[in-house]
Every structure is written in structure tokens, then in C-alpha cells.
Amino acid sequence: MGEASKKKEIFTYEAPWEIYGMSWSVRPDKRFRIAVGSFIEEYSNKVQIIQLNENKGQFQETAIFDHPYPTTKIMWIPDKVGTQKDLLATTGDYLRLWEVQSGASSSNSSVAMKKLLNNNKNSEFCAPLTSFDWNDTDPSIIGTSSIDTTCTIWNIETGQAKTQLIAHDKEVYDIAFACGTEVFASVGADGSVRLFDLRSLEHSTIIYESSTPPDAPPLLRLAWNKQDTNYLATFMMDNTSVVILDIRVPSLPVAELQGHEQSVNAIAWAPHSHCHICSAGDDAHALIWDLQALPRAIEDPILAYKAMGEINQLQVLPALLSFSLLSLLLQWSASQPDWVAIGFGQQMQILRV
């Protein structure tokens, strides 16, 4: 790392538009590479790939490409060894796969769309996709969630849907795989967390409801603890708490984390620890919590960072944290867990924690 990077604890990037999606690359040969999406109130939006120049201590654009509508989520392929094609996935009106080709210099790349995945070819209309998850165990599998109440599991190599199911009574807002390829969970506007197993889709299990239907507040995002898959986290719309669930004890939260003064909008488990989770909210705070004391009550976070404005996005490097106030994203990457990235307005900052 260059001298400037050794000394600096924070780096700031100013995007040309409000940031609406963010994802940190997990490839070991692409440290400090982040994809950011735009929020422009028209059809034509952008996805920009930026890379920290560690010698100069500043971010540089390496590629930019057009995207229809703002991205509701961006993810790099979960390739921790860097042996597969350098792929990026996005959702909005459809699920799209993009391939990044490195140019002659590290500051120059090109991006081409490889696939557009559409399971409703008989209609000219599409139901917008709210989120997706890329399977860590088998990167040929992506699951998407939609406002049309469905979740779709895709084989991205064939471009075909493996299965599509009605997952909720109302819009589905998020989907997340457990470890392995068979089990996933979803949350939605009906206020429920539902558990599915691809080996027996005739049944699903409701493991939590935010209240008694039909008055249950929507659940907006879902995060699965990949170090201990008994634990899930979620949060309600317009609510200041993070709900921690133990799937072995359905219905009742094992903890409620109450540290935000305004609504929570993003959550992410640490990729390197089974007991740490980060939350971010409209109060411009990013909070890191230690859950080792469970089932005893967790009173306070162990770390808090105050941004200069409402946090749109948050990411922690190598275990990234990606937050989006609008798209409600949060990621914790897995290569350098001592860095976190946050986005607010047109700014993105990475900071050493």
C-alpha cells in the first residue's frame, strides 16, 4: 500500500449523482474496487466502477456503463479466489449480468452485458425486481425477489429459471440464501419472514411476523448470518430497531437492537465473525453490535460512526458494508474487514474502523 494510504484513515469519493446502489468486489486481485449505481429520475441511469489508487490515495473511475432505471441492487460475483469471469449482476426492471474486461492499464476497463434474464417473455410488461442474492456455494445460482409476490431462482449459465414461486401475500422486498444451495428466506410487505427449501417447495415456514396480519408493518431487508446460519436479521419499515431471529425458536425475536434515533435502512453481518452485525439508518449513524452475550439483552453498540448526512449506503471492506437509503442495501465484504464504506447523497467514504 502506498505511503498516502498507510497514513490515511478515510478516503472520500464524490459521485456525479446521488448514489443508489453499491457493491465491493471480493476478488483478491481487485482490492478497494467498488461498483456504485446512480439515482437519476429518468430511464437512463449509470453504474460506475471505481478503484482506489493506493499510491495517490484517491478513487479513480475505471469504467462506467448505462443502466435502465436505478439499480435496486448491485453484486459482484462471490469469487473469493479470482478464478471465474469478472461478473457483476444488477436488478431493476430485469436481472442483468455484466462482464468486466480489464484494459491495457488498471485504470481502464470495459463492461458488456452478457445476459438479460426474463421469465415472463409473453408480456411486454415486467414486474420490477426489488432485490437479489448471489449464491456463495454455487455462483451459477441467483435468487430474485419481485413486487409481483414471487421469488425466482435462476441458473445464470443457462439463463433459465430453475423455479418461480409465489413467496408472499404482497410484494417481496428481499431474498437471502443460507449456506449451501437449497435453503433461502424472504421478507415482504406482508410483514413476514418466510423460509423455503428448494427440495420441498410445497411448504414454506413463517418464522416471524412483524404483527398480526393484515396490519403487519412491511419488512424491508433480510440478512443471514453466514457464520452461524441459525441467525437472521431484519427490520420493519419506519422503525428504529433491528430484529434478530433464531430459526430454531420461530415467532419470537432473540434480540431487538435499539440504538438508532431514526429509521433503520440497512443491515449486514460480519463475514469473518458469527456475532457481529452492522446497522445504518436515517439518523446518519452506522452502528456495529456484538451479540456474544445472547440471549441476554444487547444494550449498546460497540462502535458508532456519524456521517455528514443520511446514510444511503454503507460497506465494510473485505466484508463490505453497502448501504442504500433508497435501495436499502448493506454489504459486509470479506477481504479486509477493518475498512467500512458508507454512502450519503453523492458522497462515498471508506474509513478504517
Side-chain angles (χ1 to χ4, degrees), residues 48-322:
Q48 186 180 46
I49 299 173
I50 57 175
Q51 174 82 45
L52 179 68
N53 183 318
E54 297 182 48
N55 292 316
K56 295 182 178 179
Q58 61 187 30
F59 280 100
Q60 297 176 337
E61 178 187 301
T62 62
I64 189 167
F65 58 95
D66 292 327
H67 192 279
Y69 304 107
T71 60
T72 53
K73 189 168 185 178
I74 306 173
M75 279 187 78
W76 292 93
I77 185 171
D79 177 17
K80 296 182 177 66
V81 292
T83 57
Q84 303 193 53
K85 289 182 178 180
D86 198 7
L87 298 179
L88 188 68
T90 60
T91 46
D93 51 349
Y94 298 105
L95 171 64
R96 291 175 172 86
L97 290 176
W98 312 82
E99 184 174 357
V100 181
Q101 299 276 4
S102 296
S105 70
S106 60
S107 61
N108 182 19
S109 300
S110 61
V111 181
M113 190 177 76
K114 304 304 290 182
K115 281 180 181 165
L116 184 153
L117 292 87
N118 174 17
N119 201 38
N120 189 20
K121 297 183 174 63
N122 296 323
S123 173
E124 59 181 298
F125 302 104
C126 63
L129 301 177
T130 52
S131 188
F132 72 97
D133 194 24
W134 207 324
N135 190 277
D136 284 334
T137 306
D138 182 353
S140 72
I141 299 173
I142 286 180
T144 58
S145 56
S146 173
I147 66 167
D148 68 1
T149 76
T150 66
C151 289
T152 305
I153 308 299
W154 297 92
N155 180 326
I156 62 170
E157 292 178 351
T158 64
Q160 301 299 312
K162 290 162 64 78
T163 189
Q164 184 175 60
L165 62 145
I166 296 174
H168 287 258
D169 299 330
K170 297 179 180 178
E171 298 95 328
V172 190
Y173 288 145
D174 203 8
I175 181 173
F177 286 105
C179 292
T181 60
E182 308 295 344
V183 177
F184 67 94
S186 61
V187 294
D190 60 9
S192 67
V193 180
R194 303 197 183 200
L195 201 60
F196 299 88
D197 189 322
L198 290 172
R199 294 162 294 192
S200 56
L201 286 174
E202 317 83 59
H203 308 288
S204 67
T205 304
I206 296 177
I207 59 172
Y208 175 73
E209 290 181 299
S210 57
S211 184
T212 306
D215 301 318
L219 296 172
L220 296 182
R221 282 294 183 257
L222 173 71
W224 210 312
N225 186 337
K226 297 298 178 73
Q227 299 296 320
D228 185 346
T229 53
N230 289 313
Y231 292 98
L232 289 166
T234 186
F235 58 89
M236 299 173 219
M237 180 182 287
D238 300 327
N239 194 283
T240 59
S241 299
V242 176
V243 176
I244 306 297
L245 305 172
D246 183 338
I247 63 173
R248 297 164 297 185
V249 188
S251 302
L252 293 175
V254 67
E256 291 192 40
L257 309 179
Q258 299 177 332
H260 288 281
E261 296 175 0
Q262 296 182 43
S263 300
V264 175
N265 61 41
I267 46 175
W269 292 93
H272 61 297
S273 165
H274 71 281
C275 60
H276 290 92
I277 189 171
C278 185
S279 61
D282 290 352
D283 55 5
H285 279 87
L287 308 178
I288 295 179
W289 305 83
D290 185 345
L291 307 185
Q292 286 188 86
L294 287 178
R296 297 200 304 274
I298 309 298
E299 300 291 344
D300 297 299
I302 59 170
L303 185 147
Y305 175 75
K306 177 102 167 59
M308 293 185 296
E310 290 184 1
I311 293 177
N312 303 352
Q313 302 252 345
L314 169 68
Q315 290 203 349
V316 174
L317 184 72
L320 316 174
L321 277 170
S322 156

